[in-house]
Amino acid sequence: MLVALFCITTICFMLIRVLPMSPPEGTNKAQQQVIEQIWDARGYNDPLIVQYYNYLKGIVTEWDFGTSWKIDTTTPAWNLLVGRLLPTILVNLYSLLFAIPIGIIAGIYAAIKKNKWQDHVVSIMVILFVSVPSYVYAFLVQYFLYFKLDLFPPTILSLNDSGGWLTWKMFHSMIPAILSLSFGTIAGLARSTRAELTETLTMDYMLLARTKGLTRAQATTRHALKNAMVPILPGIIGSFIGILGGSMIIEQIFAIPGVGQLYIKSVTMRDYDVFMMDSIFYTFVSLLAGIIVDISYGFIDPRIRMGER
Amino acid sequence: MAKDTNVVSIPKEKFEFAMVGERIKDQKFDDKPIGYFRDAWNRFCKNKASIVAAIIILCIVLFAVIVPFFNPAEIGTVANTRYQNKVPRNLALSKIGLLTGDLDIQYNEKGFAYIVGIGIAADTDFENIPSVGEALEEKSPLMPVTKIDSIESVMQGRNEKLMYNAKVDDYLQVGFAYIDVEQAEYNAMLAWQEETGIQLIYPMIAENDYNFAKLSNDTNNAANWWYKTNSRGEPVRLNSKGEPVVIKYDDINELVLEENYQRDAEGNLVFYNYKGGGTQETAMYRVRTLYYNYYRYTHEGREPQFFFGTDTSGYDMAYRLAIGIRLSLLLAVCIFAINFVLGAMYGAVEGYYGGNVDLVLEFISYVLSGVPFIVVATLFQIHLAAKAGPIPSLLFAFVLTGWIGTASLVRTQFYRFKNQEYVMAARTLGARDRRIIWKHIFPNTLGTIITASVLAIPSVIFSESMLSYLGIVSLGSPTQTSVGTLLSNAESLWTTYPHLMLFPAAIISLLMICFNLFGNGLRDAFNPSLRGVEE
């Protein structure tokens, strides 16, 4: 994983640094001079290889990921990113906490009522929710909850209005974003839960469990559900890691000052160091999620060993 | 044990030959042989949802292909700055109350006088001006206000104000426009007006102190302030001393607006202003036209009607949607094809040769798949968009990582099949690697790959619309657009004009749902054992 991360970082760095870059313009001459001095001191005029060496050295020795030049001039890129993490994590965490129980319960319900009308209803909902793009939900949620019913503000509140990230007011204003993030997760979970559970319900050990006198509910919860969860749980764990990345489009629509929004901003404002930092971050998160999923398979079900085919 | 000798001996003659002279062979099959693809096709046909989805996809494809052809160039590709964000309107359907092009707007008294004034001024009798009530009663086809829903009184500060909730024709409320034309064009307009009987050229407005457009520097609606107002936009009348007096009325229906038209020395109305230019052909005239009628003049007498309304730049929404969908589908199909070929070759080599080749190639694809797609897309846009254009660079971004999924599928399939007996048989008979890969193993993996590739199409469409929505890819131009661009343009306006959001969102959702259903149907058809299992 580290090798992969190193390779990707190298490619990204080279691709970004070959772009024409110039120091930002200060408001007056004195500030301009200071900015240019910092620019020079940080080695932006050196050859590419030297720059890369310095960059890696900075990361390893001082945890220095470069400097933001356009978004927040001369702030370290790492600080900028860390400041954006909390809102992203909060919204996604709420959404997962909301979506996982509903998704699993819907999946179990559909599996138990297999091929009855309840199952068909759930299946149709799943197809709808999986297919429709998340921004369409976001618009629908905004339209009905804000424009028609006026229950929630259209975008989340600023820190001044709500008094902090963890206040009730902030949570209330986050609900539309949480809802629109949840639909897709609910549908995906319901689908995989249903698929796995219908498979385990037809297994021979279920018949055995019933013959030894367990009721249907007991057999389902104690035997079928546990086995059905084996492929699902790693996915859930992976999505908990994935919440670090967040969803750009939802953050954009609901004006959440999170990592995704920072990324868009760094691209549109051509703030390359922040862009670099964000790219590394995304890569790291996706690689980490993959590894944790792989490892968790082994923990959840010891029968599965890595490398077996 | 004693031998059972009690056998009845049968004389030889009693034996008969059975089937003498008949050729003994297996019965021929009555049915035709059903191959793998035939079998898949039969199963696919049984899945009603997939068939419906396939038909809807076909309809959307036809829409995307046909609409740009049937849309005359001047409607589709010329941005009509006067008709931006117009709501859907269809003359045939408006008779039964659908797509009337009406908008619900709330007016105060000043605004209400203004909007009814546009309808009054559109009348061809410029001398006898009816009161607001009479004009509303008359129901001229050019009156913007089609229906007054309710009148409510609202307290504003200490004063009680009446607010009018009216249904207004979105295309007529634009009203009048000043247009600069050459003299030849002016004559053509006069001739057209004569021939059709549709009033095209209206009297010019005096540039005096009662002209609200001049008072407030309102250039957009300059041609609409045809009546005398004070600097607050309230209708005024000149008293006998020539001083302006705000018109008092108990009921707005009694209000008679006082015209403020330009007149020459003899008191006749002026219909054009000379704007410069020397000779007969180049002399420029400024004329005031009713934009609705001007639209008919420039579009061979057709009234403006847009089934999906117009977008934020004034293009026909149906046309923009069609080219947006066409772009998405083209991208999706190109990527489908390229990923299919690349992934199949890469995966075949990986899976067939195995060992160190596999290890190295797997690592390369692992590194590539580790790069988040959005980063790839952004980098390609920054580096290539200026040289190769945004669409090819988007294509490259999709292709760079898109084939990995197909490759890993092909790889597992190859691992599954490469040690089967028929492969060994082929090898013993002296077949080369290439022949074994493509002739013997690959056809077995085809079903899985096609299914996976089709199921990847909706994600391509989604990613494309997301990137253009976020503005990472800029695709908005007169000849090119994408559904995501349409949506992001609509972002700040769609609460007032829901159609800007509704149609693009609906069509892309429909497309994605149908592709998913279609892909699921294909998967069930090709691998019936996987039915209901999600990958």
Side-chain angles (χ1 to χ4, degrees):
Chain A
M1 174 205 166
L2 282 175
V3 182
L5 187 62
F6 176 75
C7 290
I8 295 165
T9 314
T10 313
I11 297 169
C12 281
F13 186 87
M14 295 300 166
L15 283 176
I16 290 169
R17 281 290 165 91
V18 295
L19 292 166
M21 294 206 302
S22 59
E25 284 174 18
T27 43
N28 53 42
K29 216 157 187 188
Q31 200 194 349
Q32 181 71 28
Q33 253 175 359
V34 172
I35 288 177
E36 267 167 27
Q37 272 167 6
I38 300 176
W39 183 269
D40 214 43
R42 294 195 61 94
Y44 282 85
N45 299 328
D46 294 346
L48 207 58
I49 299 292
V50 180
Q51 282 190 39
Y52 186 52
Y53 173 72
N54 286 338
Y55 188 73
L56 286 187
K57 205 173 92 183
I59 293 175
V60 174
T61 53
E62 296 160 36
W63 200 248
D64 173 13
F65 285 88
T67 313
S68 162
W69 293 103
K70 302 275 168 65
I71 295 172
D72 199 352
T73 310
T74 69
T75 313
W78 174 254
N79 294 5
L80 212 56
L81 182 80
V82 169
R84 300 288 189 124
L85 266 178
L86 187 62
T88 299
I89 292 179
L90 271 185
V91 171
N92 285 281
L93 191 66
Y94 289 145
S95 141
L96 274 188
L97 291 181
F98 172 71
I100 288 171
I102 296 184
I104 291 182
I105 289 171
I108 294 173
Y109 186 69
I112 293 171
K113 303 269 179 193
K114 195 180 175 216
N115 290 336
K116 292 189 183 134
W117 65 267
Q118 293 97 328
D119 178 32
H120 294 306
V121 168
V122 172
S123 299
I124 290 169
M125 297 300 262
V126 161
I127 278 284
L128 277 183
F129 284 144
V130 163
S131 315
V132 174
S134 57
Y135 51 81
V136 175
Y137 306 131
F139 294 137
L140 285 178
V141 167
Q142 254 185 351
Y143 186 74
F144 286 109
L145 294 188
Y146 162 66
F147 195 63
K148 285 277 161 192
L149 301 173
D150 206 9
L151 290 175
F152 301 100
T155 56
I156 73 160
L157 297 173
S158 66
L159 268 180
N160 290 341
D161 287 345
S162 63
W165 287 114
L166 294 167
T167 53
W168 165 249
K169 239 174 143 181
M170 183 53 103
F171 176 71
H172 177 256
S173 73
M174 275 177 180
I175 289 178
I178 295 168
L179 274 182
S180 18
L181 269 175
S182 302
F183 285 120
T185 324
I186 293 178
L189 259 180
R191 180 160 80 169
S192 44
T193 311
R194 179 190 173 275
E196 293 298 333
L197 197 58
T198 42
E199 214 183 307
T200 45
L201 279 177
T202 54
M203 290 286 181
D204 290 340
Y205 58 74
M206 284 300 291
L207 206 61
L208 177 74
R210 292 300 300 280
T211 41
K212 77 180 183 190
L214 294 185
T215 62
R216 210 180 148 188
Q218 280 173 326
T220 309
T221 46
R222 285 186 202 166
H223 295 272
L225 209 52
K226 265 188 191 165
N227 280 299
M229 279 300 139
V230 170
I232 298 170
L233 265 183
I236 294 178
I237 293 170
S239 58
F240 268 103
I241 305 295
I243 63 178
L244 287 170
S247 159
M248 274 180 208
I249 207 149
I250 296 291
E251 289 188 5
Q252 185 79 356
I253 291 172
F254 291 102
I256 299 166
V259 187
Q261 215 193 29
L262 182 73
Y263 183 83
I264 305 287
K265 234 175 164 175
S266 71
V267 172
T268 49
M269 293 174 77
R270 298 279 188 263
D271 196 333
Y272 292 122
D273 272 12
V274 179
F275 174 53
M276 180 77 212
M277 166 86 248
D278 234 352
S279 302
I280 296 179
F281 178 71
Y282 275 126
T283 312
F284 178 73
V285 166
S286 75
L287 289 176
L288 187 70
I291 288 208
I292 293 201
V293 167
D294 282 350
I295 293 174
S296 60
Y297 268 112
F299 277 109
I300 292 162
D301 190 350
R303 286 173 300 177
I304 301 174
R305 282 271 171 264
M306 301 286 288
E308 267 178 37
R309 293 203 191 277
Chain B
M1 218 201 262
K3 233 181 175 182
D4 185 9
T5 52
N6 226 356
V7 178
V8 183
S9 64
I10 302 167
K12 212 176 181 182
E13 314 84 71
K14 285 211 170 176
F15 284 102
E16 258 179 52
F17 284 107
M19 296 194 252
V20 173
E22 281 178 49
R23 301 186 68 184
I24 303 167
K25 59 183 178 184
D26 284 338
Q27 264 189 326
K28 208 179 162 192
F29 281 119
D30 285 338
D31 301 327
K32 275 185 199 160
I34 294 180
Y36 178 56
F37 285 95
R38 176 83 206 176
D39 196 27
W41 171 247
N42 285 349
R43 270 193 300 258
F44 183 77
C45 287
K46 278 188 199 141
N47 193 339
K48 287 200 194 73
S50 300
I51 295 287
V52 172
I55 291 170
I56 295 177
I57 292 175
L58 206 65
C59 290
I60 295 177
V61 170
L62 283 180
F63 168 78
V65 173
I66 288 174
V67 164
F69 280 114
F70 276 81
N71 222 322
E74 79 266 24
I75 299 183
T77 51
V78 177
N80 190 332
T81 48
R82 288 260 154 198
Y83 280 165
Q84 287 170 348
N85 315 325
K86 291 300 164 210
V87 295
R89 181 181 207 247
N90 185 284
L91 293 172
L93 286 177
S94 65
K95 300 218 164 55
I96 54 168
L98 290 169
L99 305 185
T100 50
D102 284 350
L103 206 58
D104 290 310
I105 303 183
Q106 192 179 51
Y107 290 102
N108 59 14
E109 292 193 350
K110 247 189 314 193
F112 193 65
Y114 166 83
I115 196 77
V116 176
I118 289 173
I120 295 172
D123 198 20
T124 48
D125 189 354
F126 304 119
E127 302 297 340
N128 304 317
I129 290 159
S131 72
V132 168
E134 283 163 7
L136 284 174
E137 193 90 344
E138 198 187 327
K139 282 224 157 85
S140 140
L142 294 176
M143 169 62 76
V145 179
T146 50
K147 196 181 164 212
I148 298 171
D149 290 328
S150 64
I151 302 170
E152 52 188 281
S153 64
V154 181
M155 294 303 289
Q156 272 190 353
R158 258 181 243 159
N159 305 330
E160 194 182 352
K161 292 259 174 164
L162 288 178
M163 298 301 269
Y164 297 83
N165 295 314
K167 275 197 169 41
V168 176
D169 191 301
D170 205 8
Y171 293 80
L172 284 167
Q173 69 149 327
V174 170
F176 297 87
Y178 283 125
I179 290 164
D180 292 341
V181 291
E182 288 181 358
Q183 199 187 10
E185 176 78 11
Y186 177 70
N187 290 334
M189 285 167 84
L190 278 182
W192 188 82
Q193 179 172 307
E194 198 75 2
E195 186 193 323
T196 56
I198 299 169
Q199 188 75 26
L200 189 59
I201 298 169
Y202 283 81
M204 302 297 286
I205 299 166
E207 299 275 319
N208 54 19
D209 290 344
Y210 315 118
N211 183 337
F212 184 71
K214 196 177 152 224
L215 293 171
S216 64
N217 282 327
D218 177 8
T219 47
N220 281 341
N221 302 315
N224 288 338
W225 294 99
W226 62 277
Y227 54 91
K228 291 194 175 83
T229 65
N230 62 14
S231 59
R232 274 172 297 172
E234 291 161 338
V236 297
R237 178 186 296 139
L238 298 188
N239 64 11
S240 51
K241 287 181 214 153
E243 290 161 350
V245 182
V246 176
I247 305 174
K248 295 265 180 258
Y249 50 84
D250 299 325
D251 182 358
I252 199 161
N253 286 332
E254 295 165 10
L255 171 67
V256 180
L257 299 165
E258 185 155 296
E259 50 97 346
N260 193 21
Y261 292 134
Q262 266 183 39
R263 288 176 191 272
D264 59 9
E266 285 102 56
N268 293 325
L269 292 168
V270 174
F271 282 92
Y272 63 87
N273 285 353
Y274 179 69
K275 291 301 285 182
T279 61
Q280 279 269 319
E281 286 77 36
T282 56
M284 292 298 285
Y285 287 170
R286 167 161 291 190
V287 294
R288 178 169 165 261
T289 64
L290 183 65
Y291 195 78
Y292 191 82
N293 286 348
Y294 184 72
Y295 184 94
R296 286 158 96 174
Y297 166 70
T298 49
H299 293 86
E300 293 145 12
R302 289 193 303 270
E303 288 181 58
Q305 52 170 336
F306 302 100
F307 203 85
F308 290 145
T310 63
D311 75 352
T312 44
S313 324
Y315 296 110
D316 183 359
M317 183 65 104
Y319 177 81
R320 299 294 269 178
L321 267 182
I323 57 175
I325 291 288
R326 196 174 57 181
L327 173 73
S328 293
L329 287 174
L330 267 181
L331 260 182
V333 168
C334 282
I335 290 161
F336 166 77
I338 296 174
N339 283 349
F340 186 89
V341 174
L342 271 182
M345 293 204 298
Y346 197 91
V349 171
E350 262 186 322
Y352 184 77
Y353 292 108
N356 284 336
V357 179
D358 185 26
L359 271 181
V360 173
L361 293 183
E362 260 297 90
F363 182 73
I364 295 175
S365 65
Y366 175 69
V367 169
L368 276 179
S369 69
V371 191
F373 171 69
I374 193 131
V375 175
V376 179
T378 318
L379 282 174
F380 267 96
Q381 283 303 316
I382 295 173
H383 276 278
L384 268 179
K387 281 176 227 144
I391 297 167
S393 30
L394 190 61
L395 192 70
F396 283 134
F398 273 113
V399 167
L400 184 71
T401 52
W403 52 267
I404 293 172
T406 323
S408 73
L409 259 180
V410 177
R411 178 172 164 268
T412 40
Q413 293 290 318
F414 264 75
Y415 264 109
R416 207 171 115 197
F417 289 120
K418 75 175 179 188
N419 290 325
Q420 301 245 323
E421 283 80 359
Y422 63 85
V423 178
M424 301 213 184
R427 187 171 289 142
T428 1
L429 285 172
R432 276 184 297 171
D433 284 353
R434 210 189 327 161
R435 192 180 164 82
I436 295 175
I437 290 175
W438 299 122
K439 256 315 209 216
H440 296 278
I441 308 181
F442 186 67
N444 284 311
T445 67
L446 211 54
T448 328
I449 310 169
I450 290 178
T451 314
S453 306
V454 169
L455 278 171
I457 287 181
S459 71
V460 169
I461 295 175
F462 172 71
S463 306
E464 182 268 322
S465 69
M466 185 187 80
L467 288 174
S468 52
Y469 179 86
L470 291 175
I472 292 175
V473 184
S474 51
L475 290 171
S477 76
T479 50
Q480 200 56 268
T481 191
S482 113
V483 180
T485 313
L486 288 176
L487 287 170
S488 76
N489 287 344
E491 200 177 13
S492 54
L493 291 162
W494 66 281
T495 42
T496 335
Y497 307 103
H499 75 279
L500 290 179
M501 188 62 79
L502 181 69
F503 293 119
I507 204 158
I508 200 160
S509 307
L510 195 64
L511 201 60
M512 305 249 305
I513 293 172
C514 288
F515 264 114
N516 271 329
L517 281 176
F518 179 69
N520 285 348
L522 273 188
R523 187 197 51 214
D524 293 349
F526 279 119
N527 314 312
S529 58
L530 278 182
R531 185 170 311 207
V533 180
E534 307 300 335
E535 284 159 303

